[in-house]
Amino acid sequence: MTVTLTALELAECFRDGAYSPVESAEEALDAIERVDGRINAFCHVDREATLAEARRSEERYRSGAPLGPLDGVPTSIKDIFYTRGVPTLRGSHLLADKPGATDPASWPDDAPVTSAVHEAGCVVIGKTTTPEFAWKGVTDNTLTGITRNPHDPALTPGGSSGGAASAVAAGLGQLALGTDGGGSVRIPAAFCAIVALKPTYGVIPMFPSSPFGTLAHAGPMTRTVSDTAAFMDALLRPDPRDWSAVPARATTPGPGGYLAAATEGTRGDRPLEGLRVAYSPTLGFGRNDADVEREVTRAVGVLSELGAHVDTADPGVTDPVDAFHVLWFAGLAAVLAPHGPDAIERVDPSMREALGRYHDYSAADYLDAVAVRMALGARMADFHQRYDILITPTTPIPAFAAGSDVPPGWHSPDWTSWTPYTYPFNMTQQPALSVPCGMTDAGLPVGLQVVGARFEDRLVVRVGAALEAALGRVVPTPRVHAGGAGGDDR
């Protein structure tokens, strides 16, 4: 059954002739029909178009000319990225209700990452759900409904790339593209027990520019660090439409790139020999559930066995949430502005409430927030003069009830209040990787975050791969899974 294989395992089967891309695509599409009704990870699937892509991939293998190491692998795209001929509605009635919104001719362009997926030969199986305009850390909206966690469908998968994470965890495609403006690939990776990387800003080209500006990154979401690394190698395609993108040659010198870094992390008994690691359980201002801190601390202990020198050390920063809110909600207000003065009445009610709390920022407020961001970046750059890597929990809590922006009875209505370890690194633009590291006593996944200095993305991948290999499988297959191995695929 191909749905249980990793991306690299599946591609090897294609090369050996054990499976074909068409067989794999059919299994993925059948699994979506069978499973997705319970988790609502997909908002668009076109079976005919997917199978046409799979047939082209199969022909390339037959002729001995696959486009790359991921040719033929089932891949989903978050409904934030432009996709030629496919509606990109971003979870919003403001877009979906426009005349011609679902007409394929209305969508003539691919985003850079979408183009890269096609150029790598990946087979697109659908577009995944997002909260409206990807504005919050869970995944629900009034257009497509509530997306759920395959480990427990009563719980949220997180967000805003919740559909992508839920799909990957449930076996509905090996690869997924997400976005991350404040934790949006890492939060759902932690909640769903998958791997996700927020690269250094500019490493993956973005177009159109996000309304959240340089907070927003594109990132791969997969089941293993090696798959994430291989997907990163495929996504590093230059695109002149993103003037702020970093040339690929500046971030992946030498052969192999990210996959080579992941392989290096699993070579020998002490693949992290001499690495300087700081473990900060709370970044100096957070607070964790006891189960989360226990599992992350246990995993950090493994790093010493892998050769790293580990200190418990905070970077000496204060919570930048107020500045983040200025940057974030100024961007969100800009999203709505082109849709007219009544747009606020037609959006997600929780978005409307949040904009009621955070609005009317002045230019001086915005510049003050930028100054906070710059100071935070300088502080972290100085910290990385002493430490190569910073480890934190990805989130301080596990997944909570689906359909709610915050856990029941929570002290704040803001999604940022329960994910304090993710958005700071959007402000600093540093690479950050979430890997599964254990489970709570209630059986929910826990994620560990690996943070590096800007442009040390491959080092982050190397550490994640080493840790993943040493820990082994720490979270069982979800209850809702295409392979049925999780106990329930109905």
Side-chain angles (χ1 to χ4, degrees), residues 309-359:
H309 178 82
V310 181
D311 292 332
T312 300
D314 292 329
V317 300
T318 56
D319 188 354
V321 68
D322 291 337
F324 179 81
H325 282 163
V326 174
L327 300 171
W328 190 254
F329 287 105
L332 188 58
V335 171
L336 303 188
H339 298 281
D342 67 335
I344 190 69
E345 302 302 325
R346 295 187 285 140
V347 299
D348 174 358
S350 63
M351 181 197 296
R352 189 183 314 132
E353 293 167 7
L355 283 169
R357 295 191 298 274
Y358 301 105
H359 66 285

Side-chain angles (χ1 to χ4, degrees), residues 95-112:
L95 297 178
D97 295 346
K98 286 187 173 183
T102 58
D103 181 357
S106 298
W107 306 97
D109 298 317
D110 278 336

Side-chain angles (χ1 to χ4, degrees), residues 369-384:
V370 171
V372 170
R373 180 182 192 178
M374 294 173 69
L376 179 64
R379 181 73 192 98
M380 289 307 305
D382 181 66
F383 183 75
H384 282 292

Side-chain angles (χ1 to χ4, degrees), residues 35 38-39 149-151 153 169-171 478-482 486-490:
V35 171
R38 296 200 61 201
I39 57 175
N149 192 319
H151 289 272
R479 282 167 48 185
V480 179
H481 192 273
D488 187 359
D489 66 345
R490 294 170 294 172

Side-chain angles (χ1 to χ4, degrees), residues 135-163:
W135 84 274
K136 60 183 178 178
V138 296
T139 302
D140 59 68
N141 63 62
T142 59
L143 181 64
T144 60
I146 298 171
T147 298
R148 300 178 181 275
N149 192 319
H151 289 272
D152 182 345
L155 305 180
T156 181
S160 63
S161 304

